[in-house]
Amino acid sequence: MPDTSNISFLDRVRAILSDLPASERRLAQFTLDFSGDLSSYNASELASLAQVSNATVTRLIRRLEYANYEAARKQIRSERTDDSFTPVNSPLSPGETTLHSHLQESYSKLGNTYRHLSQSALLEASQAISRARQVWLIGLQANYFLAGHFHWHLSKFMPGVRLIPGAGQTVSEYLTDIQHQDVLIIFDLHPRASPMPELIQHLEARCADIVLITDQDYKERPKTRWSLPCQPGREQLPDNSVAVASLSHLLLSEVLKVRGADRRDESAQELAAAEALF
């Protein structure tokens, strides 16, 4: 048998992804989508979040040629590297200068976003999203694609997630379906649709739990329950959306953690109830 100890976890998954049975392929795709968070969960929590059985986790781990799930977690932890920005001191060629300039700009946007991010707002929003009756993703015009990307990922591990408006429709057509137990996640970044402030007022009348992802320098932004501003990307065309992409990933990761913690609490309560009964 060839030595696979020097092959990364993600490379092992990618190598066999297309040949896997349906349930294992679903789990494997989940590990690729949320690779940075895998080491935080045990096998049962991973199975629950990916909506597969514990046996599916065991089969995939064996197929990846690990002795057990803990061995896989150990390698995942060891492969997490420090990607912090390192200044370049040596002279750069014109092509390298372009790459370095773009990288500096991206790091600047990320740094400005995270320095001004409220940890309490992030945590409260994550908890509300994970426990909502239904989550609505809203983005108009260019923001529709940002909302769609978030919707694609969130719907992988949560039921009741909807992206609106549909083709040829308006958000107003969904107002009667939105309830106070729901959470609205609104992407409102430049270039933004002009009627968004008025629309948010109408939405707040139906549901006060609104997560607004918008530009830091948008001084007229509506005051919603949770505002998550990020560094805008409009200094040049095309827009550099690295900050909103990173913020989206952070929020998704926090929701995933909350759901994992909730599942642990539910399991503990079920175990306590069973012990009291028997």
Side-chain angles (χ1 to χ4, degrees):
M1 180 179 296
D3 180 18
T4 59
S5 60
N6 61 341
I7 302 176
S8 72
F9 175 84
L10 296 182
D11 283 343
R12 296 190 197 200
V13 174
R14 295 186 186 103
I16 65 172
L17 182 63
S18 60
D19 299 323
L20 293 173
S23 61
E24 291 180 48
R25 186 165 61 251
R26 177 176 185 170
L27 173 61
Q29 188 60 59
F30 184 89
T31 66
L32 293 176
D33 292 337
F34 296 96
S35 58
D37 304 296
L38 292 180
S39 60
S40 303
Y41 305 105
N42 61 37
S44 295
E45 292 165 348
L46 177 62
S48 178
L49 291 169
Q51 300 178 8
V52 298
S53 67
N54 286 357
T56 300
V57 175
T58 300
R59 287 195 298 270
L60 179 62
I61 290 300
R62 289 176 178 170
R63 203 184 296 272
L64 294 171
E65 300 185 17
Y66 290 103
N68 50 47
Y69 181 71
E70 288 306 312
R73 288 177 79 182
K74 183 178 179 180
Q75 182 175 8
I76 293 169
R77 290 192 192 101
S78 70
E79 290 169 353
R80 298 185 70 171
T81 57
D82 180 10
D83 293 325
S84 58
F85 178 62
T86 303
V88 177
N89 298 319
S90 58
L92 300 176
S93 68
E96 290 172 332
T97 299
T98 299
L99 295 177
H100 185 64
S101 174
H102 188 82
L103 184 61
Q104 282 184 308
E105 179 195 356
S106 296
Y107 271 108
S108 175
K109 291 182 183 300
L110 289 170
N112 287 333
T113 295
Y114 281 80
R115 276 194 294 273
H116 296 91
L117 191 60
S118 167
Q119 178 62 29
S120 60
L122 178 67
L123 179 58
E124 291 173 11
S126 304
Q127 292 172 338
I129 292 168
S130 68
R131 297 160 189 170
R133 181 194 74 97
Q134 186 148 290
V135 179
W136 303 82
L137 273 298
I138 301 174
L140 302 182
Q141 298 178 5
N143 287 279
Y144 187 82
F145 301 98
L146 299 173
H149 179 263
F150 196 100
H151 168 267
W152 188 90
H153 284 287
L154 187 62
S155 61
K156 292 293 181 181
F157 58 87
M158 269 192 67
V161 181
R162 295 186 63 181
L163 174 64
I164 60 174
Q169 297 178 317
T170 65
V171 175
S172 301
E173 297 175 53
Y174 297 87
L175 286 178
T176 56
D177 297 326
I178 297 173
Q179 301 182 19
H180 70 276
Q181 309 100 313
D182 299 348
V183 170
L184 308 175
I185 304 176
I186 301 176
F187 285 80
D188 185 29
L189 298 110
H190 176 86
R192 62 177 43 85
S194 56
M196 184 56 81
E198 292 78 10
L199 177 59
I200 291 177
Q201 287 184 348
H202 287 298
L203 291 169
E204 282 184 313
R206 302 290 305 176
C207 173
D209 287 348
I210 295 179
V211 181
L212 179 63
I213 298 176
T214 188
D215 301 317
Q216 284 177 346
D217 62 355
Y218 180 30
K219 294 179 174 56
E220 293 79 27
R221 66 173 179 257
K223 289 180 170 54
T224 58
R225 177 156 293 176
W226 300 294
S227 179
L228 300 178
C230 60
Q231 181 73 13
R234 67 170 180 266
E235 285 83 354
Q236 74 290 310
L237 291 175
D239 286 349
N240 185 341
S241 301
V242 63
V244 65
S246 181
L247 179 57
S248 294
H249 181 268
L250 174 62
L251 182 56
L252 285 163
S253 299
E254 291 301 309
V255 173
L256 198 58
K257 289 179 183 177
V258 172
R259 287 183 63 80
D262 287 346
R263 298 290 171 83
R264 287 194 291 272
D265 291 342
E266 290 171 5
S267 298
Q269 292 171 4
E270 291 170 0
L271 180 59
E275 289 176 346
L277 182 62
F278 296 105

